[in-house]
Amino acid sequence: MSSDRTRDLERWVPRLIAVWRRARRRPGGPDDRLTPPELREVAAGVRRLSLGLTRERELAGARYMDDPALLGAYLLFYWPVSYAQAREALGELRRPRSVLDLGSGPGPLAFAALDAGAAEATCADRSKAALALARELATEAEEALAIREWDPQRTAALPDGTYDVVTLGHVLNELFPGAEGIERRAALCERALGQVKPGGSLLMLEPALRDTSRDLLAVRDRLVEHGFSVRAPCLFRGPCPALTKPGDWCHAERLWRMPRLVEDLARAASLHKEALKMSYLAVAPKGDPVPALPLGRLFRIVSEPLEGKGRARYVGCGPEGRGGLALQEKHRSDANAAFFSLRRGDVIRIGETEERGDGQALTERSEVTVIAPAGVAVPKLEQ
Ligand SMILES: C[S@@+](CC[C@H](N)C(=O)[O-])C[C@H]1O[C@@H](n2cnc3c(N)ncnc32)[C@H](O)[C@@H]1O
């Protein structure tokens, strides 16, 4: 994460703590960190949330935001993570003016959009308690924020208006469980896309778990089938090639400097939280022309560096599909040296390759250029 984004996030820490202390009627304490008893209390909530939202998943779709201890844990631990993820994903999109944050909880995505330059944000959720915290945070940060109650499982209507960006942060996986889940989530996305202005996006974030990521890709495929285009991260325009094998999936990972508050809570709750991991998808409204890609053979790196004796290997996904990319150390040259230090999310252009088994082998003549490092928009077609 860039130093600007890191600094913006650091500025939220005292606000989050102040709002939490007021909501929990706690006496004051240090601005930028929790006292040891506070840390123990919040870490217990973080642990319950972590088990319930990622491991056992029994909290997904439950009203955990209405339990003050869990809402507090969400605010102090997951809020900064969602904020950082949203800043990364928004960095690939045109700067929005107006944002609607659906399933906002206490608003990390709405505030990320405001910090990224948006002038107006609306938070919508079914949890009054979470919306109340979003309002408190807005007061604390002296930001204007509109609030709407919204529950797509009760009514199809979305909050009125049109927006440059509509977000769904870690909420799709909590909606419409059961057999028709993917269709109903896709239908919600289509309705939301109907309220996105030309040039704008529907931005979805989901946890970087296999099942929630595959479900997001399945929603993607429904939208693509219905004529929508993906702005990011996919370079492949057709049905997602990761869905053809049951074990495959796709997620993003970014380096970040986590705030000390998050680090302290992760340690106290015995959780590992090093890299920022998420699945994300930005979709353009119907009829919006999606700019042509730069010329050449492009791939996004969609894996970490894979083990391989004497060679660098990754999974790449680009306009020609998804598959392995490998280069033997003995074929290293000035032209291909960049291949040895790629990160998940980087978009590269490669020259000639040789077909091998499940993918492509690069040679000493294969030129490799990083045309967009992870988190940066792919440039438009070069003239
Ligand atoms: C994991 S939290 C995500 C909060 C925030 N968007 C983020 O990314 O950190 C999921 C949110 O979805 C909301 N949610 C779950 N089911 C909902 C429903 N049926 N209607 C409206 N909101 C719902 C919850 O209240 C909660 O705020």
Side-chain angles (χ1 to χ4, degrees), residues 64 74 82 103-105 108-109 125-126 150-153 169-171 175:
Y64 55 90
Y74 200 91
S82 296
S104 63
L109 274 69
D125 201 285
R126 72 174 174 189
W150 168 77
D151 183 343
Q153 294 183 154
H170 301 284
V171 60
L175 299 174

Side-chain angles (χ1 to χ4, degrees), residues 49 53 59-66 71 74 78-83 85-86 101-110 124-128 130-131 149-154 167-176 205-207:
L49 273 179
L53 289 177
L59 285 181
R63 291 187 174 263
Y64 55 90
M65 289 287 186
D66 296 335
L71 176 56
Y74 200 91
Y78 286 98
W79 194 106
V81 175
S82 296
Y83 173 98
Q85 293 169 339
D101 183 9
L102 295 173
S104 63
L109 274 69
D125 201 285
R126 72 174 174 189
S127 164
K128 289 192 181 109
L131 290 173
E149 273 184 49
W150 168 77
D151 183 343
Q153 294 183 154
R154 285 166 172 260
T167 58
L168 279 162
H170 301 284
V171 60
L172 273 184
N173 72 88
E174 299 205 6
L175 299 174
F176 309 117
L205 301 184
E206 287 288 79

